[in-house]
Amino acid sequence: MKQRALSFPWTELLDRLSILYGRGDWRVPYLREHAENPFQVLIGTILSQRTKDANTDRASLALFAEYPDAAGLAKAPLADLERLIRATGFYRMKARNIRACARAILREHGGIVPRSMEELLALPGVGPKTANCVLVFGYAEPAIPVDTHVHRISNRLGVLRTRTPEQTEARLREILPREYWIPLNPLLVQHGQNLCRPRNPRCELCPVADICATGLARARGERPPRPEDRRPLPAM
Ligand code: SF4
């Protein structure tokens, strides 16, 4: 496992995906200048749990138009929040979580979203993926948000073999050089929404098929590697 992880051509992967999706040079720290509002990243990521991006976008727009910050959201009636975020599903639980989160930020952090992993994880409804999203997209701090796309594609690439996003994050922290942490999520998420979808990945159109364990196996007519495989990962 270590051999391939260490020798995996991460630069090549990010270069080719950046070109494919027209995202410019991933080495440029664009996030530092364009970091988003950390509070809205936090709440938007909680809303995005178990729903489609379009639903999250619609609900976030409606919610932040009325409650753009922790002070406003902390005082919002639950029924109003449920109405605004209904499209995201699990809206009762999410409404309770986002209001509790806003209240905790107000009470314990003076209305400013904390920027340490430990303090973020202590907020209601915040798990590792949400905390990592706040660090990367809200504060432009190196972190690795792992959602289903990052988890699935990392396994398909053959750089690790894990069963859960949490295991994937832990493993990526060990094997992925820090310079790649910030650009990895946006590029893999975009790839997962386009060519490397959950079902029927379009390997024949993929620009990284020659460095991907799944792409290489399919081109040879072999069975792609699976997380449950016990065979050692191939060396590149
Ligand atoms: S070659 Fe196939 S499995 Fe590998 S990244 Fe591309 S689309 Fe995904």
Side-chain angles (χ1 to χ4, degrees):
M1 183 185 292
K2 206 158 200 165
Q3 195 178 355
R4 178 177 165 88
L6 285 175
S7 63
F8 186 77
W10 296 104
T11 302
E12 205 53 46
L13 173 79
L14 298 182
D15 277 346
R16 294 188 202 173
L17 293 182
S18 297
I19 291 168
L20 176 66
Y21 296 114
R23 295 189 70 113
D25 189 347
W26 56 268
R27 296 166 189 79
V28 178
Y30 59 93
L31 279 168
R32 210 165 290 287
E33 286 82 47
H34 298 97
E36 297 165 37
N37 175 324
F39 179 73
Q40 296 189 359
V41 172
L42 169 62
I43 300 301
T45 309
I46 294 175
L47 296 185
S48 75
Q49 291 162 4
R50 297 203 242 166
T51 192
K52 293 185 176 159
D53 290 348
N55 295 335
T56 306
D57 292 346
R58 195 148 39 102
S60 298
L61 265 180
L63 179 71
F64 298 139
E66 294 196 31
Y67 304 108
D69 52 27
L73 190 50
K75 287 185 286 193
L78 267 187
D80 203 25
L81 296 180
E82 290 175 2
R83 173 182 64 82
L84 290 166
I85 68 169
R86 197 180 181 99
T88 66
F90 304 96
Y91 60 92
R92 291 207 171 91
M93 180 191 67
K94 288 179 182 175
R96 278 199 307 276
N97 278 342
I98 61 175
R99 191 172 71 172
C101 210
R103 288 179 174 176
I105 290 168
L106 212 55
R107 191 175 57 241
E108 290 156 30
H109 303 283
I112 307 290
V113 175
R115 59 192 305 165
S116 79
M117 179 61 92
E118 195 185 357
E119 289 172 311
L120 285 165
L121 288 176
L123 295 171
V126 174
K129 185 199 133 190
T130 301
N132 279 312
C133 280
V134 172
L135 292 176
V136 169
F137 302 116
Y139 287 122
E141 299 276 359
I144 313 176
V146 175
D147 65 355
T148 55
H149 297 300
V150 176
H151 172 59
R152 178 180 72 254
I153 299 174
S154 298
N155 273 281
R156 283 180 177 169
L157 288 170
V159 294
L160 45 75
R161 198 165 279 160
T162 52
R163 289 174 183 276
T164 66
E166 291 73 25
Q167 291 173 354
T168 297
E169 185 199 332
R171 185 69 187 132
L172 283 174
R173 281 178 168 274
E174 290 171 5
I175 64 173
L176 186 64
R178 220 172 158 79
E179 70 207 87
Y180 304 124
W181 285 20
I182 287 182
L184 187 76
N185 171 285
L187 286 167
L188 290 194
V189 168
Q190 197 161 8
H191 199 39
Q193 291 168 340
N194 288 278
L195 294 185
C196 198
R197 293 181 177 184
R199 291 186 187 181
N200 303 320
R202 306 294 305 276
C203 302
E204 70 283 7
L205 301 176
C206 180
V208 299
D210 64 317
I211 57 173
C212 169
T214 300
L216 288 167
R218 290 177 118 205
R220 290 190 214 110
E222 297 169 2
R223 186 174 67 82
R226 303 234 184 278
E228 58 274 19
D229 284 349
R230 292 186 183 277
R231 289 177 293 163
L233 291 169
M236 287 292 288

